[in-house]
Amino acid sequence: MAKVTVDRKKCIMCNLCIDMVPEVFEEKGGKSAVKENVDLSNKEVLESVKMAVEACAVQAIKLDE
């Protein structure tokens, strides 16, 4: 099962991941975070997360498939 995480130390809170995949990412304490109970079994959501990983300017998002 795929799992996505955000390295909050690296995150610069540019909001790109939240704008790209609001069903997965949220703002929490001034940084991006992964929402609880995220279902990455949906192919469209997983593909959007992959795009967010690639788009992250500071490589703060990690996806383990």
Side-chain angles (χ1 to χ4, degrees):
M1 185 159 124
K3 181 178 179 182
V4 63
T5 56
V6 175
D7 183 338
R8 294 172 52 83
K9 291 180 182 177
K10 287 184 178 179
C11 179
I12 59 172
M13 198 53 206
C14 68
N15 284 329
L16 185 62
C17 60
I18 295 170
D19 291 342
M20 291 179 75
V21 201
E23 58 268 49
V24 174
F25 300 102
E26 66 183 349
E27 184 274 326
K28 192 179 254 184
K31 300 284 183 168
S32 181
V34 177
K35 292 181 176 182
E36 290 191 31
N37 302 318
V38 169
D39 181 10
L40 295 178
S41 65
N42 179 310
K43 237 178 182 165
E44 288 179 18
V45 172
L46 183 58
E47 288 303 313
S48 295
V49 169
K50 288 179 183 179
M51 288 191 292
V53 169
E54 292 296 319
C56 182
V58 294
Q59 293 85 41
I61 306 168
K62 183 177 178 186
L63 178 63
D64 293 318
E65 291 187 81

